[in-house]
Amino acid sequence: MLKAALALALAALPRSALAQADQEQRTLRYMPFGDSITDYGCWRPWLAEKLKADGHTLDFVGGRRAEAECDGLDYDRDHEGHPGFQAVDIVKDNQLAGWLADNPADIITMHLGTVDIVRSSTKADVILQAYDALVDAMREHNPAMRIIVSQIIPFPANDGLVQALNAAIPAWAESRNTTESPLWLVDQYTGFSGTADLYDGLHPSESGDVKISEAFYPAMLQAIESFEAEK
Ligand SMILES: *[C@@H]1O[C@H](CO)[C@@H](O)[C@H](O)[C@H]1NC(C)=O
């Protein structure tokens, strides 16, 4: 009886109101995408905590589970950070499309290219071509994807290539920005120490993870608020 009454009441609502109620209830799905810098450490849970404090609880998505223990937090361990993966190879094997098909996302962060430089001394223009294909795959999956790309953290052993990539990213990022699928740029390099904020010359130490979470935070807020603005 109650059910029937509820169905009647819902049927009386205009369609747009229903769609709106739907959107308000749905938890936004966020895919942290990258290499080991995305897999290891605690920047994801610390970012989640900061957003939670603002009243935003996201559903972290991805085919991998983080193992790090982070202040005893019972955090959402899903992510798409693949240790040792190069942007160029992910594109060659068309892997991102499959990962997104398995774990759909509304928002994605990308910190990628470090391994291309570490393993293959890949130049900026080649990495940006890979970024292009990755952004295409993101938008093919979800035309309204909110995309957050990073100027990458230091890799002191090949700082020249890191700096060249980071210098080329802003113009590229602007060129790939659209109204339907906004793309934000986050500078993860400036203010990040190539010594104190890394524990092995490559991976973030605890202080490094704090900096990564703090740098992603304002862009994540903008991405989340861009959905609220649509309602
Ligand atoms: C893309 O556009 C949004 C506004 O929709 C803006 O906030 C953002 O800074 C732009 N991104 C870049 C890389 O210029």
Side-chain angles (χ1 to χ4, degrees):
M1 269 304 266
L2 255 179
K3 248 189 188 166
L6 189 62
L8 268 178
L10 284 175
L13 279 172
R15 235 168 231 283
S16 59
L18 276 179
Q20 196 174 331
D22 227 35
Q23 204 176 30
E24 272 161 16
Q25 277 165 19
R26 195 164 72 68
T27 305
L28 291 173
R29 299 162 302 192
Y30 159 50
M31 177 180 281
F33 167 54
D35 52 33
S36 54
I37 294 164
T38 294
D39 181 14
Y40 304 164
C42 294
W43 70 260
R44 288 166 288 90
W46 290 338
L47 175 60
E49 286 301 298
K50 286 166 78 68
L51 293 166
K52 233 183 255 176
D54 291 329
H56 303 295
T57 300
L58 301 178
D59 179 13
F60 282 54
V61 299
R64 296 180 49 79
R65 306 280 167 277
E67 284 172 12
E69 293 309 323
C70 302
D71 315 325
L73 286 171
D74 179 19
Y75 67 95
D76 189 338
R77 292 171 184 266
D78 300 340
H79 69 88
E80 206 65 69
H82 295 261
F85 277 44
Q86 304 185 39
V88 165
D89 291 334
I90 293 172
V91 168
K92 194 177 66 200
D93 300 335
N94 193 25
Q95 287 173 303
L96 183 59
W99 295 336
L100 283 167
D102 289 344
N103 294 288
D106 307 294
I107 303 172
I108 188 167
T109 55
M110 178 169 81
H111 186 291
L112 198 64
T114 306
V115 185
D116 299 75
I117 291 172
V118 171
R119 295 248 168 99
S120 312
S121 300
T122 308
K123 296 246 169 34
D125 58 334
V126 176
I127 295 175
L128 289 186
Q129 275 172 28
Y131 284 5
D132 259 330
L134 293 169
V135 166
D136 288 344
M138 293 171 195
R139 289 178 173 155
E140 200 156 307
H141 163 73
N142 176 358
M145 184 78 95
R146 272 48 169 189
I147 301 169
I148 297 169
V149 300
S150 320
Q151 284 164 299
I152 64 175
I153 64 171
F155 169 55
N158 207 337
D159 190 51
L161 281 182
V162 171
Q163 287 209 35
L165 173 63
N166 283 342
I169 288 177
W172 169 84
E174 257 181 65
S175 79
R176 295 305 318 261
N177 206 2
T178 69
T179 309
E180 190 185 7
S181 167
L183 181 153
W184 290 274
L185 176 59
V186 169
D187 180 2
Q188 294 284 9
Y189 183 92
T190 305
F192 194 105
S193 164
T195 49
D197 294 329
L198 298 174
Y199 65 80
D200 60 355
L202 178 61
H203 296 100
S205 61
E206 188 173 314
S207 62
D209 270 335
V210 168
K211 287 183 182 174
I212 291 175
S213 67
E214 284 174 352
F216 272 138
Y217 171 69
M220 286 295 293
L221 265 188
Q222 278 188 289
I224 292 165
E225 282 163 5
S226 75
F227 286 98
E228 285 161 3
E230 259 177 14
K231 283 178 195 161

